[in-house]
Amino acid sequence: MLIVLLAIFFPFFMAFFVPFLYKRIHSKHIGWFVLLVPILLFILLASFVPSVAGGAHYTYTVQWIDSAGINFTTNLDGLSMIFGLLITGVGSLVILYSIYYLSEREALGRFYVYLLMFMGAMLGVVFSDNVMVLYVFWELTSISSFLLIAFWYHRKQSRYGAKKSMLITVSGGVAMLAGFLMLHTLTGTFSLREIVDEVGNLDKTDPLFYMAMILILLGAFTKSAQFPFHIWLPDAMEAPTPVSAYLHSATMVKAGIYLVARFTPIFGGETVWFYSVTCVGIFTLFWGSFNAVRQTDLKALLAYSTISQLGLIMSLLGIGSMAVSDSNESNVLIFTAATFAGLFHLINHSTFKGALFMVVGIVDHELGTRDIRRLGGLMSFMPLTFTVALIGSFSMAGLPPFNGFLSKEMFFEAVVQLSRLDLVSNGALRILIPVVAWVASVFTFIYSMIIVFKTFLGMPQSERVDKEAHEPPIGMLVAPFVLSFLVIGIFIFPNGIGRYLLTPAMTAVFPMHRDLKGLVPHISAWHGVNPQLLMTVGVIVAGSLLYISLKKWKKVYALGPLRWNLDSIYNFVLTKTESGSNMLTGRYMTGYLRDYFVYIFSFFIAVAVGGLFWIGNLEIDLSKDAAVTVNEYIIIAVMMLAGLSILVAKSRKTAILLNGVLGYSIAILFVVLRAPDLALTQIVVETVTTVLFLLCFYFLPEWKREDTKRSTKLVNGFIAVAVGSIVTILALMVQGNKLFTSISFYFEDAYRLAGGKNIVNTILGDFRAFDTMLEVVVLFIAGIGVFSLIKLKAKKGEKDIGNQ
């Protein structure tokens, strides 16, 4: 359907106009224009919810690189619908919030351009059916998030956080690209729908299958901040709060979740996939919640809580993946219920975590600090903000009557049911998974209480904050209140979400079980007294006791092993890599042109000679070559004489003229060999370069003979003779040993293939179109650089910039 394709590019199209509108209207009002984009897209997608819930899915293809199997194909189904609504719905609330949060002094035009770019990239990720197109949008999310995190680029930590997120997520993206290419090798297609349809014919014994699986998981884990790649997310909190509320709670970090869910029909049922996703998710859940308790910055606490919640969702998708291969219907229902809980918690997390990020932003905006040690007693001054914080925190803790309770109970049920199956062969592991899940939930309860009680209850500390506490403008409260209403509304009417959003999503994840009764369980707040309810009671009791005694046991974080963290390893590796590269670069970047030629030619000699001996075929066959005429011998003799004369020339002018003789001799040789086009090109180029050389060297000092050591001369001579000999040998070998059909036969048919009568122009304009385009782009970028330098030139009457 074309409208889905237009929806992807609509944010990019509108982003183009933002800078122009920003200059013409009041800066504070530009956000209202931008707000229309996600609202219109949300309404558009919502209009398709009934039909998608009824089993419909919409695809549309635009031919792109058809010969390589890369076409722009969009796919709107139940799974992409959930993410599309989150991207546009939460995006609308975030932009509304940012209108009141960001100051008029900020570069709002630039901010909204980056935000729209990110929105379009995320829509491209979830709606793309072709994995190569998906990868393009995937990396575009990394680039746009880098720009958003570094929005306050004058802050060192903002630049550091942006670079860190970029390095980790892009590295994972490159690994994912390799996985996509391996998957294409196995299946012969880049289309996700076609891969899923042919998954039964996929050779899962091929080593590429498991390698592709691991590489794709690396991309998902890095983007969704799974252990050990989670370290980028806390530093990304240096971004403005609207960015954190959007990228790091509802959209970007959910891209990895989407990838795992989308590839479950392909890799689900494999034990490697099950153990990787489940175990990494469970440990990330524990590690994130455990480290969230130690944080003193509210935003850092929410960052680690996001890591923890993403781990919870990931573990549920891992458990549910076994439904793909299990033939026992009762087991299938257990596994699919886990995936259902993961998708349900994905929606719930976006609501309560988005509201909490906005609350933290309000506290920081109105009081000038996010430090928990300087806060307290804010409930009396900010009762509305406290209400939102209470709803969001209690939902995150998994307490009723909030939506987080429903999905948390389903999570407990999934790990309990898993422990009762024989799927996990290790008995200790069967017990360990629910225990770790329960312990992590205890820490989740603790940090949720910290947000409420340490920030809003207790004694006010007005003397330790920069501003007097008060409620923010009502416009800033609208977005978090909408999310809070959703938190409560989903708890009261959960099955509406289940019917219209989760049911079609489940059929997209498990197309092989779309007709299975019970695929979508009924959501209920009360299931009687069962193990998961007892686990919840245990969480509340243990969490309350540990929260009360927090000061006594929090010293455990100061223990030696816990002070070692992955951030230190990352910084150490980055520092050593930079210093090592600087040292290595300093060794060969000597500033002498001769040294550079020595390195280049020595490498060429080593590779060429090694390649010749490795091939073992050094035959030179001249029997089929045309006879060399007297005219050609004369031209070659002139060229040899000119080349040797350059070595003994005593002035630059003489050397340049002799070099010109070489060039013009080649042009004459082209004429003799009946290549007039090449001859004409050579004459023009040689004339221009000779004149330019003469003009440049005219202003240089007189050429003085260098006092070069004999050893240096010998090395220079050896390299020169060796390179010339190797090139000659290679040329003669290639002429006499044709292993493949010459590509020239293909280009000879240029008129039929491309409609061009001039084969040289056709090669440059059609067959090498991408190469030529990239060359033009390079020149364009260089032109922008020159233009920028000219604009930076000091104005008349000002000091020279270089002397400031």
Side-chain angles (χ1 to χ4, degrees):
M1 186 169 53
L2 176 61
I3 198 166
V4 178
L5 179 66
L6 296 178
I8 295 174
F9 287 101
F10 185 55
F12 294 107
F13 176 76
M14 299 304 289
F16 177 80
F17 294 99
V18 168
F20 301 101
L21 289 172
Y22 181 66
K23 293 180 179 180
R24 289 167 173 77
I25 64 177
H26 196 271
S27 59
K28 194 71 173 179
H29 296 159
I30 187 67
W32 295 107
F33 167 78
V34 177
L35 179 60
L36 295 174
V37 177
I39 289 178
L40 291 175
L41 291 177
F42 181 81
I43 295 172
L44 173 67
L45 291 175
S47 66
F48 290 101
V49 168
S51 60
V52 172
H57 70 90
Y58 302 93
T59 60
Y60 186 80
T61 299
V62 174
Q63 300 296 325
W64 189 17
I65 313 176
D66 198 41
S67 59
I70 303 175
N71 295 313
F72 205 114
T73 302
T74 59
N75 179 35
L76 175 61
D77 60 3
L79 185 61
S80 57
M81 175 65 79
I82 288 180
F83 286 88
L85 291 175
L86 288 177
I87 293 165
T88 55
V90 177
S92 301
L93 296 175
V94 165
I95 292 175
L96 175 62
Y97 176 83
S98 65
I99 291 172
Y100 296 92
Y101 180 86
L102 294 173
S103 169
E104 292 186 21
R105 296 187 297 272
E106 303 283 2
L108 297 180
R110 177 162 52 88
F111 175 81
Y112 288 119
V113 167
Y114 298 161
L115 203 62
L116 288 174
M117 283 176 56
F118 176 82
M119 185 182 298
M122 276 300 304
L123 290 173
V125 167
V126 300
F127 289 136
S128 294
D129 176 69
N130 191 289
V131 292
M132 300 307 290
V133 177
L134 185 152
Y135 169 73
V136 171
F137 284 115
W138 183 277
E139 295 296 37
L140 190 55
T141 63
S142 296
I143 295 171
S144 53
S145 66
F146 168 84
L147 296 172
L148 286 167
I149 295 168
F151 178 69
W152 288 325
Y153 58 87
H154 54 278
R155 300 181 182 179
K156 180 180 179 180
Q157 284 303 112
S158 295
R159 299 194 302 272
Y160 173 80
K163 182 174 72 173
K164 193 174 188 179
S165 67
M166 184 80 157
L167 285 174
I168 294 175
T169 58
V170 168
S171 298
V174 172
M176 184 185 74
L177 173 62
F180 287 165
L181 294 174
M182 291 179 184
L183 200 58
H184 175 265
T185 301
L186 291 171
T187 62
T189 180
F190 287 120
S191 171
L192 275 168
R193 290 181 298 110
E194 292 178 6
I195 295 174
V196 172
D197 292 339
E198 297 296 326
V199 71
N201 301 323
L202 194 60
D203 182 11
K204 297 184 178 181
T205 61
D206 193 309
L208 285 180
F209 178 78
Y210 287 100
M211 185 59 70
M213 177 194 301
I214 297 301
L215 291 173
I216 290 172
L217 281 179
L218 281 176
F221 288 165
T222 52
K223 188 73 84 172
S224 285
Q226 299 297 293
F227 184 91
F229 309 108
H230 66 283
I231 56 175
W232 68 266
L233 187 58
D235 290 291
M237 292 301 139
E238 291 297 324
T241 298
V243 174
S244 301
Y246 191 41
L247 274 66
H248 306 138
S249 68
T251 51
M252 177 180 170
V253 291
K254 301 290 175 63
I257 302 293
Y258 169 79
L259 196 72
V260 170
R262 183 59 79 184
F263 277 86
T264 292
I266 302 170
F267 296 114
E270 299 298 317
T271 53
V272 175
W273 180 271
F274 165 74
Y275 279 109
S276 299
V277 178
T278 304
C279 294
V280 168
I282 283 290
F283 188 79
T284 303
L285 165 65
F286 164 75
W287 193 247
S289 61
F290 177 72
N291 281 279
V293 176
R294 72 193 298 182
Q295 304 304 316
T296 57
D297 185 299
L298 281 172
K299 228 177 173 188
L301 186 154
L302 289 181
Y304 279 100
S305 74
T306 298
I307 294 169
S308 177
Q309 299 294 307
L310 291 171
L312 184 153
I313 300 170
M314 191 69 76
S315 65
L316 286 170
L317 294 181
I319 296 172
S321 66
M322 294 308 294
V324 174
S325 62
D326 203 308
S327 58
N328 187 308
E329 185 172 329
S330 60
N331 288 351
V332 169
L333 291 177
I334 292 173
F335 297 138
T336 54
T339 298
F340 180 87
L343 295 174
F344 187 34
H345 194 73
L346 179 141
I347 297 173
N348 294 340
H349 176 258
S350 297
T351 56
F352 64 69
K353 187 56 65 66
L356 287 173
F357 266 114
M358 292 178 185
V359 165
V360 171
I362 289 172
V363 172
D364 188 23
H365 188 271
E366 303 304 325
L367 280 81
T369 183
R370 303 189 303 259
D371 194 331
I372 299 172
R373 296 166 297 184
R374 299 170 61 186
L375 299 172
L378 298 182
M379 181 181 68
S380 302
F381 306 98
M382 310 171 74
L384 297 177
T385 305
F386 166 73
T387 302
V388 177
L390 184 71
I391 294 172
S393 299
F394 280 17
S395 180
M396 185 164 60
L399 301 178
F402 309 109
N403 59 359
F405 170 78
L406 300 176
S407 49
K408 186 264 302 174
E409 290 290 285
M410 300 177 76
F411 168 62
F412 280 164
E413 182 180 4
V415 295
V416 168
Q417 294 288 356
L418 180 66
S419 67
R420 296 173 179 173
L421 298 176
D422 295 331
L423 175 66
V424 182
S425 57
N426 190 321
L429 188 59
R430 283 209 301 264
I431 299 173
L432 186 62
I433 289 177
V435 169
V436 173
W438 182 82
V439 172
S441 298
V442 171
F443 283 107
T444 300
F445 182 89
I446 296 171
Y447 67 67
S448 298
M449 297 306 105
I450 289 175
I451 295 174
V452 175
F453 293 102
K454 294 286 186 181
T455 306
F456 292 94
L457 300 180
M459 294 298 296
Q461 303 186 67
S462 55
E463 72 282 355
R464 304 187 66 180
V465 296
D466 299 331
K467 303 176 184 177
E468 184 179 349
H470 59 85
E471 289 284 13
I474 192 64
M476 197 181 294
L477 287 169
V478 172
F481 261 100
V482 170
L483 292 171
S484 299
F485 286 134
L486 288 174
V487 168
I488 299 174
I490 292 174
F491 176 84
I492 299 173
F493 305 105
N495 289 292
I497 296 287
R499 177 183 175 185
Y500 289 101
L501 294 181
L502 298 178
T503 298
M506 289 292 287
T507 57
V509 177
F510 300 111
M512 69 293 298
H513 299 309
R514 65 173 66 247
D515 297 325
L516 180 65
K517 294 182 179 179
L519 179 65
V520 179
H522 180 77
I523 307 173
S524 177
W526 176 252
H527 293 280
V529 179
N530 51 27
Q532 51 266 31
L533 180 62
L534 295 177
M535 291 173 73
T536 298
V537 174
V539 166
I540 296 173
V541 174
S544 299
L545 293 174
L546 288 174
Y547 174 76
I548 294 171
S549 59
L550 184 60
K551 290 183 179 180
K552 296 180 179 179
W553 63 268
K554 198 174 182 180
K555 296 178 182 178
V556 71
Y557 290 106
L559 296 177
L562 292 177
R563 287 182 295 179
W564 305 336
N565 54 61
L566 292 169
D567 285 290
S568 301
I569 297 174
Y570 167 84
N571 292 328
F572 174 80
V573 171
L574 197 63
T575 302
K576 291 301 180 182
T577 302
E578 290 178 352
S579 61
S581 62
N582 288 334
M583 181 181 67
L584 180 63
T585 304
R587 292 289 180 88
Y588 66 82
M589 294 296 291
T590 60
Y592 294 99
L593 187 61
R594 183 232 172 223
D595 291 344
Y596 301 151
F597 280 128
V598 168
Y599 298 145
I600 294 170
F601 290 141
S602 298
F603 180 78
F604 171 75
I605 292 170
V607 172
V609 172
L612 290 174
F613 279 103
W614 181 68
I615 293 172
N617 186 4
L618 301 178
E619 297 181 4
I620 298 176
D621 184 10
L622 304 179
S623 60
K624 297 180 180 179
D625 290 356
V628 181
T629 63
V630 175
N631 294 334
E632 293 164 356
Y633 275 121
I634 295 173
I635 297 171
I636 293 172
V638 171
M639 293 174 64
M640 293 175 62
L641 182 63
L644 292 172
S645 300
I646 292 176
L647 299 177
V648 296
K650 295 183 179 180
S651 67
R652 287 195 178 91
K653 186 184 297 183
T654 303
I656 293 170
L657 292 175
L658 288 171
N659 186 66
V661 171
L662 276 173
Y664 286 114
S665 298
I666 293 174
I668 296 173
L669 194 60
F670 284 148
V671 172
V672 173
L673 296 175
R674 291 176 295 179
D677 283 358
L678 293 176
L680 181 61
T681 303
Q682 178 69 19
I683 290 172
V684 172
V685 171
E686 194 61 41
T687 302
V688 173
T689 53
T690 302
V691 172
L692 289 176
F693 275 149
L694 289 171
L695 287 173
C696 293
F697 284 106
Y698 175 80
F699 297 97
L700 293 177
E702 192 62 31
W703 198 354
K704 296 181 180 179
R705 181 175 296 278
E706 297 180 358
D707 186 13
T708 309
K709 296 180 181 179
R710 180 179 294 273
S711 59
T712 302
K713 291 181 179 180
L714 291 175
V715 172
N716 291 348
F718 170 78
I719 291 175
V721 172
V723 171
S725 301
I726 290 172
V727 171
T728 302
I729 292 171
L730 287 174
L732 294 175
M733 285 181 60
V734 170
Q735 180 67 20
N737 297 273
K738 292 187 177 181
L739 302 178
F740 307 99
T741 304
S742 175
I743 196 173
S744 62
F745 293 112
Y746 176 79
F747 290 125
E748 286 175 0
D749 202 17
Y751 182 72
R752 183 183 66 82
L753 293 172
K757 295 182 179 180
N758 187 310
I759 190 170
V760 176
N761 293 342
T762 305
I763 291 173
L764 293 175
D766 290 271
F767 297 112
R768 290 182 63 246
F770 276 110
D771 189 25
T772 305
M773 181 185 71
L774 292 175
E775 290 173 358
V776 173
V777 170
V778 170
L779 292 174
F780 177 71
I781 294 172
I784 293 176
V786 172
F787 177 77
S788 300
L789 290 173
I790 294 173
K791 295 294 288 186
L792 287 173
K793 185 178 180 181
K795 295 180 180 179
K796 186 176 180 180
E798 294 181 351
K799 293 182 178 180
D800 185 10
I801 293 176
N803 297 326
Q804 288 183 355

